[in-house]
Amino acid sequence: MSKTHWDNLYASKKPTEVSWHQTHLEKSLELIRATGVNEFARIIDVGGGASTLVDDLLATGFRNVTVLDIASAAIRNARARLGKRADDVTWLEADITRVDLPAHHYDLWHDRAVFHFLTDADDRRRYLEAVNHTVKSGGHVIVATFGPHGPRQCSGLDIVRYAPESLQREFGADYRLVQTLTEDHVTPAGKHQEFIYCYCRKS
Ligand SMILES: C[S@@+](CC[C@H](N)C(=O)[O-])C[C@H]1O[C@@H](n2cnc3c(N)ncnc32)[C@H](O)[C@@H]1O
């Protein structure tokens, strides 16, 4: 997946204009609450973009939040929005299929609308290796993708659609499906998109 594509996108659109924009990532927050992790939990938002999830996590009291994104423009935007509070966050500009993350480090992995861009099996394998490597045993993995009735493309790129069960199967038997949600996301342009959320617990 091209970094240039994402840098250009964030340079040409306001964060509130992108199709995946939500004022608050309500479903993600609902599932993060459902995990029961405490304020010291190490949380990584993979492909966090310019989303406000990090603002809401800080406001909830979480102290160890990392936002990773391939697009420097997205990270710049989120940092600027947070102002001084940005110093309380770890920012990683990286490709999740190439990054070297610390072993057994994170309590909670969150990804909304990134995994589904991985149409190449090798990229999916590398992503899953990163999850296996960096999420602690007993950790929580929350991933949202377009659902079976969702669009076939996003941002001009092909995506893979998943049902919660098929998404869990990608992760494998070490990841027990705990909870799933479906969302009728309405884009800033008024289009409806089906998202599914899959919350799994690593054994
Ligand atoms: C559809 S947006 C979703 C943003 C955010 N998660 C949200 O829900 O608002 C996908 C994000 O993933 C980032 N991204 C795409 N491919 C990536 C990769 N290989 N590694 C890390 N980030 C990536 C993009 O820059 C973009 O910010």
Side-chain angles (χ1 to χ4, degrees), residues 2 17 23 34 39 52 54 68 71 93-94 99 102 106 110 118 120 136 165 201 203:
S2 145
E17 293 171 346
T23 311
E39 66 200 281
T52 60
V54 58
L68 178 151
E93 184 188 322
V99 68
Y106 292 103
H110 173 268
L118 304 181
D120 180 84
K136 291 178 187 172
E165 294 73 18
R201 187 98 195 243
S203 58

Side-chain angles (χ1 to χ4, degrees), residues 114-175:
V114 184
F115 184 73
H116 68 188
F117 285 108
L118 304 181
T119 54
D120 180 84
D122 282 338
D123 283 340
R124 285 198 294 277
R125 181 179 48 75
R126 279 191 282 266
Y127 176 108
L128 295 166
E129 280 171 5
V131 179
N132 283 326
H133 177 71
T134 203
V135 176
K136 291 178 187 172
S137 297
H140 309 269
V141 176
I142 297 168
V143 179
T145 67
F146 283 159
H149 309 291
R152 291 172 192 275
Q153 284 201 325
C154 177
S155 173
L157 300 173
D158 288 343
I159 60 95
V160 183
R161 299 182 297 180
Y162 294 94
E165 294 73 18
S166 61
L167 186 52
Q168 183 275 330
R169 275 198 298 277
E170 292 283 328
F171 283 79
D174 285 345
Y175 294 82

Side-chain angles (χ1 to χ4, degrees), residues 43-116:
I43 299 178
I44 182 165
D45 186 16
V46 174
S51 96
T52 60
L53 184 68
V54 58
D55 310 42
D56 290 330
L57 293 175
L58 291 178
T60 306
F62 289 109
R63 293 153 186 249
N64 291 303
V65 181
T66 297
V67 177
L68 178 151
D69 204 281
I70 200 169
S72 37
I75 291 180
R76 259 199 315 279
N77 190 289
R79 291 187 77 131
R81 188 185 61 236
L82 281 163
K84 189 89 189 75
R85 283 178 302 157
D87 297 344
D88 299 333
V89 177
T90 302
W91 304 93
L92 296 178
E93 184 188 322
D95 178 340
I96 195 56
T97 65
R98 300 286 186 277
V99 68
D100 193 13
L101 294 169
H104 313 296
H105 187 75
Y106 292 103
D107 298 288
L108 196 156
W109 174 285
H110 173 268
D111 159 359
R112 176 173 179 268
V114 184
F115 184 73
H116 68 188

